[in-house]
């Protein structure tokens, strides 16, 4: 066949190859690179919470003398960037999808947005009455706990075992960090949380590549 010829194939074998090529291309378009969905969040947690631990280390002396506003600012910037990257990747992959799958995705996004806003509004009324280290622990543990719960919910909605397991992991390390106390929670979330998300992204990408190679 002439690659520049747009006319339909004239034999059954060529038609079958064309159908298979189109199916493979469609699968790839609807299956965005898993690294774009995981790694930006892993980097945000690793760097953002890591700076929190370096600046607000348990005890009197900080490990690194940083401006007190820097860790939170860096964390918010990185989280916003991660959200933007995931939104662009998801829109490019699922923008043309309609039906129940699209509706589940929209409602799940609403749950993230409204759940976060409502929780943080309540925390804002409470945290001002707490010491700084306890208020920071309250904010971070609640945010990470909400993330773990919504990951498990997403895994249940789409029967995604990997997403559910990641939610369980985040919830467990959040519990360990909260018990350990202020300062230590940031370290646990940075290393085990951010590192765990990076590992989950790498494993998801490997499975994704295997699926794509199995396509006809």
């Amino acid at each position: 066949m002439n690659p520049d010829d747009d006319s339909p194939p004239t034999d059954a074998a060529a038609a079958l190859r064309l159908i298979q090529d189109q199916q493979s291309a469609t699968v790839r378009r609807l299956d965005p690179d898993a690294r774009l969905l995981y790694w930006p969040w892993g980097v945000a947690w690793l760097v953002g919470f890591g700076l929190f631990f370096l600046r607000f280390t348990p005890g009197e002396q900080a490990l690194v003398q940083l401006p007190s506003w820097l860790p939170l600012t860096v964390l918010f910037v990185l989280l916003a960037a991660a959200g933007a990257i995931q939104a662009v990747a998801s829109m490019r992959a699922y923008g043309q999808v309609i039906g129940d799958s699209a509706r589940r995705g929209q409602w799940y996004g609403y749950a993230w947005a409204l759940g976060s806003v409502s929780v943080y509004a309540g925390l804002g009324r409470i945290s001002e009455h707490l010491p700084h280290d306890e208020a920071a622990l309250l904010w971070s543990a609640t945010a990470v706990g909400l993330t773990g719960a919504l990951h498990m919910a997403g895994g249940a909605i789409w029967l995604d075992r990997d997403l559910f397991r990641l939610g369980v992991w985040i919830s467990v390390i959040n519990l360990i960090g909260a018990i350990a106390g202020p300062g230590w929670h940031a370290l646990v979330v940075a290393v085990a949380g951010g590192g765990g998300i990076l590992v989950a992204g790498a494993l998801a990408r490997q499975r994704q590549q295997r699926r794509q190679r199995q396509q006809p």
Side-chain angles (χ1 to χ4, degrees):
M1 293 179 62
N2 184 354
D4 297 327
D5 187 4
D6 293 331
S7 59
T10 56
D11 61 272
L16 180 59
R17 286 196 300 271
L18 179 61
I19 293 172
Q20 291 174 341
D21 290 342
Q22 293 297 320
Q23 288 177 335
S24 298
T26 300
V27 169
R28 286 192 295 269
R29 285 198 301 270
L30 295 179
D31 197 13
D33 191 328
R35 293 170 295 187
L36 295 176
L37 305 180
Y38 285 89
W39 284 4
W41 298 104
V43 171
W45 282 30
L46 184 62
V47 176
F49 285 106
L51 289 177
F52 262 103
F53 174 73
L54 295 177
R55 175 59 180 84
F56 301 106
T57 308
E60 299 295 330
Q61 186 67 34
L63 290 179
V64 178
Q65 294 299 328
L66 299 171
S68 60
W69 52 267
L70 183 62
L72 185 60
T73 301
V74 171
L75 179 61
F76 279 168
V77 169
L78 291 177
L79 290 176
I85 292 171
Q86 183 176 30
V88 171
S90 298
M91 284 299 298
R92 291 181 62 182
Y94 309 125
Q96 304 301 318
V97 176
I98 59 176
D100 290 342
S101 295
R103 191 174 300 111
R104 288 191 187 99
Q106 290 176 347
W107 291 1
Y108 186 57
Y110 296 154
W112 269 98
L114 293 177
S116 299
V117 170
S118 61
V119 166
Y120 297 153
L123 292 180
R125 297 295 300 271
I126 298 172
S127 59
E128 62 184 14
H129 303 292
L130 297 174
H132 179 271
D133 58 344
E134 295 292 342
L137 176 61
L138 177 64
W139 275 89
S140 58
T142 303
V144 174
L146 179 63
T147 300
L150 287 173
H151 274 65
M152 287 189 288
I157 292 171
W158 287 286
L159 299 179
D160 187 330
R161 188 170 297 157
D162 294 333
L163 185 61
F164 187 85
R165 287 172 176 169
L166 181 59
V168 171
W169 173 255
I170 291 173
S171 299
V172 170
I173 61 109
N174 184 55
L175 177 61
I176 294 173
I179 293 174
W184 297 115
H185 180 268
L187 178 62
V188 171
V189 173
V191 176
I197 295 174
L198 293 175
V199 171
L203 295 176
R205 179 57 180 169
Q206 289 179 354
R207 286 187 288 270
Q208 187 178 53
Q209 290 175 324
R210 285 197 296 269
R211 289 196 306 269
Q212 292 174 352
R213 285 195 295 268
Q214 292 171 357
Q215 291 298 319

